[in-house]
Amino acid sequence: MFDKPVMRGAKYARRKRGKWKALITGLMLVCCVEGLATAAAGMHRTLKANPCETLQRENKDLRKELTLQEIQKENEDLRKELKKLPWPMLKYFWANGRTYSLPLRAESRDLSHRPAQARLEYLAGFFDGDGYVGCETRLTGAALKVSQSFDQAEVLMLFRQTFGGSISRERRGVGLGKPKLQWQAYGQSARRAVRLLALHSITKQKQLLIAARWPKTKSLREDRKAELCALKQYDSAVAGPCSWSYFAGFFDAEGCIRLDPRVASLQVKVSQKHPRALRSLRAFLQTTSGIDATLGNFTGYGYELWVCSLSKCKEILQHLLDAGLLCKVQQAQLALSLTPENAAEVRAELASRSGNQRFGRRLDAAGQNRARKILSAQRQVACLCRRGLEAEADAKQREVARLKDEHELRKARYENQQLLEYIEYIRHLHENSWEGPLLPGM
């Protein structure tokens, strides 16, 4: 089955320009990548190199002959190649111990049962972060949508189990962008969902209320559509009440956990385009736990709410787990296990469970050690300068320059290795006619 495809040996023949062309022609790289983990094994889906030792050693020797600029140029070319490399068409997805065929169509169900309040609060928080309120093509009613990567389908199933609706492919994966699924609700399912979500929504309550009161008169529907579009252009959030269940849903959609291994410190962060919802979360943290979170603007694009204290971050994460955190359960549990002794391991594991936004550019353990050495050497330069030891400071500064050059070269090599492995991983999926994660025996 293809839940856990194991990469086979693959040869790369890469031609380089100029004086390196003859040297690099015929370069072989064996990439053995551990793919998507099976549900039975309970392992996280990640990529790991498992190359043949002899060929790996030969490849490393050849890589040492390339300059930093040549490797960086090759990495740029590999990223361009990745942007055009499609994943196989997804036909199945896995959630809650089962494999489902796509599309998973809407089913008739008893809509008289009201879901538990904690579940509605969680789903409202998640929808506020990642949901979309629109209207059907002919403006006959409201349409709701939530999108997620195919390996985070559990939350989409929770929406479907609660409100009805269907799950289908939203887009085919390309390169570092994994295939995406979407939950959609129309008609009676959408009308019920908007009524229940609006009770607990903050950022999208006004949009949901418009959808709940969708007019039967055709002449008024264009006006309602225009109102919906207008609400998306500014901070239309309301100052509504918050709860840990709502926070858990919002954090699953918009939150992240970061770790600084140098001091075994955590940072819990939530991002949003507009600040009003984050102000509600900040007030909630202060009122319920006495935690002072910082709210700030980042790069002029949006806003972030963050907490840096290790003890306070752990307190927040424990509350979120108790309140039904779903998508980031493993990351939160890892963060709670953080100690000064296991900081490097926890950071590496957290990085492997995050998205591909910084793929190939995160420092591994060796890179972290090099960065610490550079920082230590820079501090020594400053100390020598303060003492007036100019000759010693100049010598140490030359050492810093050498360490930085070595650091950049090794970073480029590591990025190159990861990019090659990922390309071979996707090609391997095609070779094995992969159509999605399947349970054993299916």
Side-chain angles (χ1 to χ4, degrees):
M1 292 303 167
F2 311 128
D3 299 71
K4 189 178 180 181
V6 179
M7 301 306 302
R8 299 176 302 178
K11 296 183 179 180
Y12 282 91
R14 308 195 61 84
R15 297 184 178 273
K16 304 299 293 182
R17 296 185 180 90
K19 62 180 180 179
W20 302 110
K21 183 174 181 180
L23 174 65
I24 302 305
T25 301
L27 174 65
M28 301 177 67
L29 175 68
V30 173
C31 298
C32 300
V33 179
E34 179 180 279
L36 302 174
T38 61
M43 297 176 64
H44 177 71
R45 299 172 177 90
T46 186
L47 298 176
K48 295 183 179 178
N50 184 23
C52 169
E53 293 182 0
T54 302
L55 290 177
Q56 183 187 39
R57 185 164 54 251
E58 292 176 359
N59 175 64
K60 286 184 176 179
D61 291 340
L62 288 171
R63 281 283 179 231
K64 290 179 181 178
E65 302 296 331
L66 299 179
T67 66
L68 173 62
Q69 291 73 23
E70 287 172 323
I71 297 178
Q72 288 175 335
K73 176 61 170 64
E74 181 171 318
N75 290 346
E76 291 177 7
D77 293 340
L78 288 173
R79 288 188 179 275
K80 290 178 182 178
E81 181 180 349
L82 257 179
K83 288 181 179 180
K84 299 182 290 185
L85 185 61
W87 285 58
M89 186 62 70
L90 192 69
K91 295 184 179 180
Y92 307 96
F93 71 93
W94 177 86
N96 304 321
R98 286 188 57 188
T99 298
Y100 298 89
S101 298
L102 287 167
L104 185 59
R105 303 188 185 281
E107 298 176 347
S108 59
R109 60 183 63 223
D110 180 14
L111 300 179
S112 61
H113 174 69
R114 183 185 179 90
Q117 179 170 325
R119 174 181 286 198
L120 289 176
E121 290 171 349
Y122 172 88
L123 292 174
F126 195 95
F127 192 85
D128 274 358
D130 269 355
Y132 172 81
V133 183
C135 49
E136 297 187 43
T137 305
R138 297 183 180 180
L139 304 185
T140 54
L144 304 183
K145 183 172 77 170
V146 177
S147 302
Q148 280 292 289
S149 171
F150 79 101
D151 51 5
Q152 292 283 356
E154 287 84 358
V155 69
L156 302 183
M157 288 297 295
L158 188 60
F159 273 94
R160 184 176 182 270
Q161 292 163 4
T162 306
F163 303 122
S166 63
I167 296 176
S168 59
R169 283 186 300 269
E170 182 188 52
R171 73 179 186 202
R172 183 175 184 171
V174 178
L176 295 174
K178 298 178 183 179
K180 293 195 75 173
L181 302 175
Q182 61 183 359
W183 167 78
Q184 292 177 297
Y186 303 94
Q188 187 177 9
S189 295
R191 289 191 291 273
R192 180 171 185 263
V194 297
R195 288 197 305 270
L196 294 174
L197 290 173
L199 297 173
H200 308 285
S201 174
I202 294 177
T203 67
K204 293 185 171 70
Q205 186 185 89
K206 292 181 180 180
Q207 298 178 42
L208 290 166
L209 290 176
I210 288 177
R213 300 163 185 162
W214 198 256
K216 296 181 180 180
T217 306
K218 292 183 179 180
S219 59
L220 298 177
R221 292 173 182 170
E222 285 290 351
D223 293 338
R224 294 296 178 270
K225 179 182 177 181
E227 288 180 32
L228 266 180
C229 293
L231 287 173
K232 300 176 190 294
Q233 304 306 313
Y234 69 96
D235 194 352
S236 59
V238 299
C242 194
S243 67
W244 282 113
S245 296
Y246 176 92
F247 199 162
F250 200 89
F251 190 81
D252 264 341
E254 300 286 14
C256 71
I257 304 169
R258 293 183 178 174
L259 188 154
D260 184 349
R262 295 172 298 177
V263 291
S265 174
L266 284 175
Q267 184 183 70
V268 170
K269 181 182 295 187
V270 184
S271 303
Q272 188 73 177
K273 184 177 181 180
H274 300 296
R276 192 170 295 170
L278 299 182
R279 292 193 188 110
S280 294
L281 292 175
R282 182 176 61 177
F284 171 75
L285 288 174
Q286 175 61 46
T287 302
T288 59
S289 305
I291 296 175
D292 291 319
T294 303
L295 176 61
N297 181 267
F298 66 97
T299 65
Y301 176 76
Y303 294 82
E304 290 181 337
L305 181 73
W306 69 88
V307 175
C308 294
S309 165
L310 178 61
S311 60
K312 292 177 180 178
C313 285
K314 287 190 173 184
E315 181 181 349
I316 291 171
L317 292 173
Q318 187 60 62
H319 279 301
L320 295 178
L321 285 170
D322 294 340
L325 195 69
L326 181 60
C327 300
K328 294 184 171 68
V329 168
Q330 293 177 329
Q331 292 96 316
Q333 291 172 339
L334 277 168
L336 288 175
S337 72
L338 176 66
T339 65
E341 292 74 26
N342 68 3
E345 292 80 2
V346 170
R347 178 188 179 277
E349 193 65 26
L350 279 174
S352 73
R353 297 176 186 276
S354 60
N356 284 338
Q357 293 88 343
R358 297 186 61 211
F359 181 87
R361 296 192 171 106
R362 293 188 182 94
L363 294 179
D364 59 359
Q368 287 286 332
N369 288 333
R370 293 194 304 271
R372 282 192 288 269
K373 287 182 179 179
I374 292 171
L375 181 60
S376 176
Q378 288 174 328
R379 288 172 176 169
Q380 292 177 42
V381 171
C383 180
L384 291 170
C385 288
R386 286 194 300 269
R387 295 167 57 188
L389 302 175
E390 295 183 5
E392 291 84 348
D394 289 342
K396 181 60 68 172
Q397 187 61 53
R398 288 192 293 272
E399 180 184 342
V400 170
R402 180 186 61 79
L403 290 173
K404 285 184 176 181
D405 290 343
E406 178 69 14
H407 183 51
E408 291 301 320
L409 181 60
R410 290 184 179 275
K411 279 200 308 180
R413 288 173 180 167
Y414 182 62
E415 178 184 0
N416 187 269
Q417 174 190 339
Q418 289 190 303
L419 290 170
L420 288 170
E421 288 173 358
Y422 204 98
I423 289 172
E424 185 58 26
Y425 167 64
I426 296 177
R427 288 174 176 167
H428 176 79
L429 295 180
H430 283 282
E431 291 170 3
N432 287 274
S433 302
W434 182 85
E435 297 177 332
L438 299 174
L439 287 176
M442 294 189 65

